[in-house]
Amino acid sequence: MQNFCVLHFNNWMNMAPPTALLPGSSSLVSKVIGSWETLKLASNDRSVVEEEGAYECFMTGIALLDNGNLNVSYFHRKDGKYVKEFYVAEKTDTPGRYTFEYHGKNYLTFVAVTEEFAIIDLENQRDGEPLIVVELHGRTQEEGKLGMAHYRRQTARRGILPSNIVDVFLKRYGSS
């Protein structure tokens, strides 16, 4: 059974294996830093993850900063071209949860992290309505596919319809 961190409680579909790591341990940080490839994006508002949508981003890596915050690098479409950008995800008092500013305040929660894949849940309160984006990332495309069952459960748990899941791997930065 895979060793992974389940960080979003609520008895997350009872999927935590017996070897699950304790949230907040240094194991989480060691698992999230490094290179990533974005495979799937889903949202309760599909338009934000479709081509040229505000949240159509392709994460490329996460680095740990000296203060415990995370530097998240990604490609985002700007003026018809993909450009590399980054944001600093500031740690909160909740292990595995960070905040950053983009179209308002976003809450980033690492829902599941293994050596092969990461599922990230973003929530933004815009205009009083919650915008939910759930991302699936893999170290490689093949490794990321190992997280599909967990990803589908997370999107369903967040009320995101299967029709609002976008496969973005083949659209990655530089190709379109």
Side-chain angles (χ1 to χ4, degrees):
M1 185 157 284
Q2 293 176 357
N3 184 19
F4 70 94
C5 302
V6 176
L7 301 171
H8 202 285
F9 293 111
N10 287 8
N11 199 17
W12 189 64
M13 305 297 282
N14 298 317
M15 291 306 300
T19 56
L21 301 170
L22 293 175
S25 70
S26 60
S27 297
L28 166 67
V29 173
S30 68
K31 286 182 185 276
V32 301
I33 59 174
S35 298
W36 292 99
E37 296 184 16
T38 304
L39 304 177
K40 304 274 185 189
L41 297 173
S43 179
N44 58 332
D45 176 357
R46 183 180 168 102
S47 69
V48 301
V49 294
E50 290 179 328
E51 191 163 330
E52 298 193 38
Y55 285 80
E56 185 207 23
C57 301
F58 307 95
M59 187 168 70
T60 59
I62 298 176
L64 178 64
L65 301 175
D66 290 341
N67 61 3
N69 293 339
L70 301 176
N71 182 314
V72 180
S73 58
Y74 63 97
F75 279 87
H76 184 76
R77 197 170 187 114
K78 200 178 247 184
D79 299 324
K81 295 163 94 176
Y82 286 102
V83 294
K84 191 168 187 174
E85 297 183 355
F86 73 92
Y87 63 85
V88 173
E90 297 177 4
K91 66 182 180 176
T92 67
D93 292 336
T94 304
R97 188 170 187 173
Y98 298 80
T99 63
F100 66 95
E101 292 293 325
Y102 178 75
H103 293 277
K105 190 171 196 169
N106 288 268
Y107 295 91
L108 178 157
T109 303
F110 289 96
V111 177
V113 179
T114 71
E115 298 293 334
E116 296 86 14
F117 69 87
I119 297 172
I120 297 174
D121 188 290
L122 299 175
E123 184 167 341
N124 178 307
Q125 295 287 329
R126 62 177 192 177
D127 303 325
E129 295 292 321
L131 172 68
I132 309 298
V133 176
V134 181
E135 305 173 353
L136 173 63
H137 305 281
R139 297 292 182 181
T140 67
Q141 181 181 19
E142 288 306 310
E143 289 178 334
K145 287 179 182 178
L146 298 173
M148 274 307 299
H150 300 291
Y151 182 73
R152 286 192 183 115
R153 281 190 285 279
Q154 178 64 13
T155 57
R157 191 185 77 70
R158 294 297 267 156
I160 297 172
L161 301 172
S163 60
N164 284 9
I165 298 173
V166 179
D167 184 345
V168 296
F169 183 76
L170 295 178
K171 290 176 39 177
R172 287 189 343 237
Y173 50 91
S175 60
S176 80

